[in-house]
Amino acid sequence: MSRLGRLQRCARPSWLPEDAAIVRHLVDRDPWFRYRKPRYQLQMLKDLAGLLPADRCRVLDVGAGSGLIAETIAALFPGKSVTGVDIAPNPLADLRVPLVRYDGCRLPFADQSFDCALFCNVLHHVKPEVRAALLREALRVTGGGPLVIKDHLRATPMDGLRLWLLDVLGNAPRGAMISASYLGALQWEGLLRELGCSGDMLPVSAYRTGFEACCFPNRLEICLRIERKSN
């Protein structure tokens, strides 16, 4: 039996700001987006809005990088306090949320310090043999989840090449990590089984349009929420 179910797309949350306000925040905080509209980041934030807990909650952003997504959620998502953690943080100037360094083995927080953990395009950069350990740490500090994950789904060998090119185009100019191992459906299912978790995945979203979507299909992008199964 599959451990990964499908969610129906819900209506846009009434509290979520208009797209223009989200884009304005991203552009104001990261000059890179003055030259390329953050369509991808906008869609990711809209997907995350449908997966994060609706009530007030403490969110841990694992692999937060510059802290931009963590800060945007804290600023624009009501009731969300966000802390970022990364093995090599590179914070924005005057970052408005905490960003903590950790050793890549144990998250530097007590059990149940957070209500939810977030992984935005992180897991494919984590070595396969340590992915489960990292997610177990996230389950520890959240008391069993939920873990909200934005990542990729590789269905064919060509998908692996497509995703690698996306990482090169998106990460190399910023000096970010491009080495990766992309998960297929069997790898996602195996990871959930190893963790004793079940999950639900959003329908495919329009991260790209036109010619770009033909070269890099939107089915490569997935957003899911996983939790430890109750006995």
Side-chain angles (χ1 to χ4, degrees), residues 86-155:
D86 203 298
I87 59 173
N90 183 26
L92 295 173
D94 303 316
L95 184 65
R96 299 161 191 168
V97 296
L99 181 56
V100 180
R101 184 185 296 273
Y102 85 113
D103 62 7
C105 295
R106 183 175 175 83
L107 291 170
F109 307 102
D111 295 0
Q112 301 183 46
S113 296
F114 298 92
D115 303 302
C116 176
L118 180 63
F119 292 79
C120 290
N121 290 334
V122 169
L123 282 182
H124 61 275
H125 292 304
V126 177
K127 292 181 179 179
E129 61 269 22
V130 297
R131 281 180 189 142
L134 174 59
L135 292 175
R136 284 194 190 96
E137 274 294 285
L139 291 167
R140 176 183 65 81
V141 301
T142 59
L147 312 183
V148 174
I149 300 172
K150 160 66 190 73
D151 213 273
H152 300 299
L153 179 63
R154 175 185 54 78

Side-chain angles (χ1 to χ4, degrees), residues 52-98:
L52 288 168
D55 300 328
R56 298 181 65 87
C57 68
R58 303 161 296 170
V59 180
L60 178 65
D61 185 5
V62 182
S66 70
L68 176 63
I69 297 301
E71 182 188 279
T72 303
I73 291 171
L76 301 182
F77 289 28
K80 305 298 184 285
S81 63
V82 189
T83 297
V85 66
D86 203 298
I87 59 173
N90 183 26
L92 295 173
D94 303 316
L95 184 65
R96 299 161 191 168
V97 296

Side-chain angles (χ1 to χ4, degrees), residues 32 167-176 178:
W32 178 267
D167 267 331
V168 170
L169 293 171
N171 292 348
R174 295 171 173 242
I178 60 172

Side-chain angles (χ1 to χ4, degrees), residues 218-231:
N218 285 310
R219 62 174 174 75
L220 298 171
E221 313 292 336
I222 61 169
C223 266
L224 59 149
R225 180 176 57 218
I226 71 172
E227 298 181 74
R228 183 170 287 148
K229 296 180 66 176
S230 57
N231 295 324

